[in-house]
């Protein structure tokens, strides 16, 4: 069950414990049912009210009761952006491999692999992009990211995410956001794959609508926040808390489930969103609209109009532009563009860019339609048509100049080294003798 809205002041209590939310105050001397009151702050106390994020959790035992954290292996999760030399080339990855459950059990945490990123979690300014590939559920284990927010994009296989706030079932073509510091566990039901956008130092918000004004794009009512659910469970063999802190992983032990929150209230919560609910706005006259018109969520930087990261989708829609090359134009950008494909075929590159794969076009690296797309759409009869039917591609766009990790360039063995060849057959159509097919004489108006 879910509550509707984005950034709302929510309140929820497990129906098994009616009246578990204190009335009229946050931390009563004695909480109902003998619970502990614990505040989770997602912003500084002194932030303006419009950006102040916090929730109050009423739990059976407080999260402070645990053994000391100790370092653990980070696997392919990293924040070291200097592992390999920079690579300004267009990069594309074939679908990332998912380990076979018959060969090796891999859960969400051990299946995290950093592809690229920039910035620094210590200075609270940056971005990282990860893949997750796993085949087994997290057992008596949860994850907490002290560095930033996770925007999770499932591509293959649904995931059941248990959080301190309740449970969310997130399927391909849906996304969820687990904000900084929130503990969660991931159950999977088959071999599973997806993408993660991590941002340091900012939270995701809905983009400003500008001249669109009041309605459109991702509507607030379509975001869903889970209702309270708790388990009062002792784990004699030990429950593991994994903490991502300053780019490293640490673990600690406790003897109870952390999902013991009976009730909570506040505006700092996990949430999910179905991409099919996106209200698409597109060009209805001529030219190709900039992709920012498809922004679902943005994490703003301190520079107006410049994002740490935007989450942009390319959903099914109508193409009706006249006198226009309708696919994406050729481009060099002051932003980094990382693209993934949930399902279907991306319109600008119907071959080679596959679901579960990715591409990265770095700052000022040229990119655009492949030769087949250009030739086909340069001569196409322009009539209203459905675009991207059965497809959902997306982009993580960032103002950071992202470095690719050693795993992304080498260890994963999924880099498509022939990617550049999709543009090799582009040929010159220049004709210095070209003349307009119809000449219109502009004569002076002599009617007056």
């Amino acid at each position: 069950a879910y509550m509707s809205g984005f950034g709302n002041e929510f309140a929820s209590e497990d129906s098994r414990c009616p009246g578990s939310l204190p009335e009229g105050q946050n931390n009563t001397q004695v909480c109902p049912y003998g619970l502990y009151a614990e505040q989770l702050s997602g912003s500084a106390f002194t932030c303006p009210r419009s950006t102040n994020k916090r929730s109050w959790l009423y739990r059976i035992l407080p999260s402070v009761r645990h053994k000391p954290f100790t370092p653990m292996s980070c696997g392919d999760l990293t924040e070291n952006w200097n592992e390999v030399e920079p690579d300004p080339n267009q990069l594309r990855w074939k679908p990332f491999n998912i380990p076979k459950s018959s060969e090796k059990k891999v859960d969400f945490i051990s299946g995290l692999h950093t592809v690229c990123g920039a910035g620094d979690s210590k200075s609270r300014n940056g971005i990282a992009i990860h893949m997750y590939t796993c085949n087994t559920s997290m057992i008596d284990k949860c994850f907490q990211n002290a560095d930033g927010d996770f925007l999770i994009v499932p591509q293959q296989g649904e995931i059941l995410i248990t959080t301190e706030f309740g449970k969310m079932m997130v399927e391909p073509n849906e996304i969820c956001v687990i904000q900084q510091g929130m503990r969660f566990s991931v159950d999977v039901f088959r071999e599973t794959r997806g993408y993660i956008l991590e941002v340091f130092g900012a939270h995701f918000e809905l983009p400003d609508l500008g001249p669109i004004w009041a309605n459109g794009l991702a509507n607030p009512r379509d975001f869903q926040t889970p209702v309270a659910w708790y388990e009062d469970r002792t784990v004699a063999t030990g429950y593991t808390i994994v903490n991502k802190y300053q780019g490293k992983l640490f673990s600690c032990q406790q003897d109870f489930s952390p999902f013991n929150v009976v009730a909570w209230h506040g505006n700092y919560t996990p949430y999910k969103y179905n991409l099919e609910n996106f209200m698409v706005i597109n060009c209805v006259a001529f030219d190709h609209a900039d992709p920012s018109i498809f922004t679902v969520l943005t994490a703003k930087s301190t520079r107006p109009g410049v994002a740490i990261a935007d989450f942009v989708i390319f959903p099914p829609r109508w193409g009706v532009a006249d006198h226009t090359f309708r696919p994406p134009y050729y481009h060099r950008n002051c932003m980094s563009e990382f693209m993934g494909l949930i399902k279907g075929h991306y319109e600008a590159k119907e071959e080679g860019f596959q679901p579960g794969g990715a591409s990265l076009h770095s700052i000022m690296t040229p990119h655009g339609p492949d030769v087949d797309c250009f030739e086909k759409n340069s001569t196409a009869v322009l009539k209203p048509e459905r675009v991207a039917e059965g497809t959902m591609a997306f982009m993580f766009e960032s103002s950071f100049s992202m470095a690719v990790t050693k795993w992304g360039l080498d260890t994963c063995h999924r880099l498509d080294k022939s990617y550049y060849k999709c543009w090799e057959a582009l040929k010159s159509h220049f004709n210095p003798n070209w003349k307009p097919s119809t000449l219109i004489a502009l004569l002076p108006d002599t009617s007056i």
Side-chain angles (χ1 to χ4, degrees):
Y2 303 95
M3 296 175 285
S4 171
F6 187 89
N8 296 19
E9 286 287 341
F10 294 104
S12 182
E13 59 184 28
D14 192 303
S15 60
R16 291 171 287 177
C17 296
S20 48
L21 272 175
E23 293 186 10
Q25 64 181 109
N26 294 322
N27 54 325
T28 57
Q29 185 177 22
V30 178
C31 293
Y33 294 91
L35 298 171
Y36 288 85
E38 178 177 298
Q39 183 175 196
L40 178 62
S41 294
S43 65
F45 292 137
T46 51
C47 278
R49 183 171 291 229
S50 61
T51 58
N52 210 297
K53 306 293 182 185
R54 85 286 173 264
S55 285
W56 281 90
L57 314 179
Y58 301 92
R59 54 196 320 151
I60 297 169
L61 282 170
S63 57
V64 72
R65 206 190 101 171
H66 63 82
K67 303 297 184 183
F69 282 103
T70 57
M72 60 177 286
S73 170
C74 295
D76 294 316
L77 193 68
T78 184
E79 199 181 292
N80 181 1
W81 311 128
N82 298 308
E83 288 181 309
V84 292
E85 291 297 310
D87 189 341
N89 289 301
Q90 302 96 347
L91 301 177
R92 183 169 70 187
W93 289 269
K94 301 172 185 177
F96 293 96
N97 292 327
I98 307 174
K100 300 291 184 183
S101 57
S102 58
E103 298 174 0
K104 183 181 180 182
K105 298 294 186 183
V106 178
D107 66 15
F108 178 83
I109 297 174
S110 56
L112 289 172
H113 311 275
T114 306
V115 181
C116 56
D120 177 32
S121 60
K122 294 178 184 178
S123 61
R124 310 290 297 117
N125 188 34
I127 179 177
I129 295 173
H130 317 282
M131 295 297 301
Y132 69 88
T133 55
C134 52
N135 56 38
T136 194
S137 299
M138 295 166 60
I139 306 298
D140 291 337
K141 182 191 299 183
C142 76
F143 187 78
Q144 169 187 302
N145 186 359
D147 291 338
D149 291 11
F150 270 0
L151 188 158
I152 301 174
V153 185
Q155 185 274 318
Q156 178 176 312
E158 65 272 32
I159 53 177
L160 175 61
I161 302 180
T162 302
T163 77
E164 296 168 282
F165 296 79
K167 295 187 175 188
M168 299 186 295
M169 181 69 79
V170 189
E171 302 179 0
N173 223 43
E174 294 183 318
I175 63 166
C176 71
V177 172
I178 309 293
Q179 303 195 75
Q180 181 188 12
M182 297 176 180
R183 294 180 173 178
F184 67 99
S185 182
V186 177
D187 287 343
V188 302
F189 309 94
R190 58 187 59 84
E191 293 171 356
T192 302
R193 175 173 57 205
Y195 310 82
I196 299 176
L197 170 60
E198 180 183 12
V199 294
F200 314 134
H203 297 300
F204 290 102
E205 55 188 278
L206 294 173
D208 296 325
L209 292 181
I212 299 172
W213 304 126
N215 304 289
L217 308 186
N219 290 311
R221 67 175 294 187
D222 292 324
F223 288 82
Q224 296 181 305
T225 293
V227 299
W229 176 88
Y230 78 91
E231 61 178 8
D232 184 11
R233 183 165 66 92
T234 299
V235 185
T237 55
Y239 195 103
T240 303
I241 310 291
V242 178
N243 184 16
K244 181 176 179 290
Y245 176 73
Q246 295 187 3
K248 303 290 186 180
L249 293 184
F250 300 82
S251 67
C252 72
Q253 296 291 309
Q254 59 188 48
D255 61 1
F256 61 94
S257 168
F259 305 121
N260 62 356
V261 177
V262 176
W264 62 268
H265 75 85
N267 64 353
Y268 189 55
T269 71
Y271 55 88
K272 75 169 199 169
Y273 175 75
N274 190 326
L275 301 180
E276 290 184 1
N277 292 327
F278 189 80
M279 193 275 230
V280 183
I281 292 176
N282 202 8
C283 172
V284 296
F286 59 88
D287 280 352
H288 181 93
D290 296 330
S292 49
I293 200 69
F294 303 132
T295 301
V296 179
L297 292 169
T298 184
K300 294 179 179 178
S301 74
T302 56
R303 290 178 289 165
V306 179
I308 292 175
D310 287 330
F311 174 61
V312 180
I313 63 173
F314 302 95
R317 58 198 183 277
W318 281 98
V320 298
D322 288 327
H323 317 294
T324 297
F325 181 80
R326 290 179 178 175
Y329 40 74
Y330 293 100
H331 194 205
R332 288 182 295 160
N333 195 355
C334 65
M335 308 280 278
S336 298
E337 301 180 19
F338 179 96
M339 287 194 62
L341 186 60
I342 299 172
K343 61 180 181 177
H345 301 276
Y346 180 55
E347 59 188 292
K349 297 179 183 69
E350 294 193 1
E351 301 296 331
F353 186 46
Q354 302 172 51
S359 68
L360 174 64
H361 300 138
S362 297
I363 286 178
M364 292 303 170
T365 294
H367 54 280
D370 62 21
V371 62
D372 292 336
C373 177
F374 179 82
E375 296 296 341
K376 173 185 174 182
N377 286 277
S378 295
T379 58
V381 177
L382 296 181
K383 56 185 179 181
E385 62 179 347
R386 292 291 291 170
V387 178
E389 199 67 51
T391 291
M392 186 62 76
F394 69 87
M395 178 168 64
F396 300 150
E397 185 174 54
S398 175
S399 57
F400 280 86
S401 183
M402 292 191 288
V404 182
T405 63
K406 183 178 180 180
W407 184 86
L409 283 178
D410 181 24
T411 312
C412 72
H413 301 297
R414 303 309 292 161
L415 191 64
D416 182 357
K417 296 183 179 180
S418 66
Y419 182 31
Y420 72 96
K421 293 182 180 179
C422 75
W423 295 288
E424 287 282 279
L426 286 169
K427 58 184 179 181
S428 172
H429 295 278
F430 177 64
N431 179 5
N433 299 314
W434 176 88
K435 294 293 186 293
S437 57
T438 303
L439 296 176
I440 301 176
L442 299 177
L443 300 177
D445 188 347
T446 58
S447 60
I448 298 177

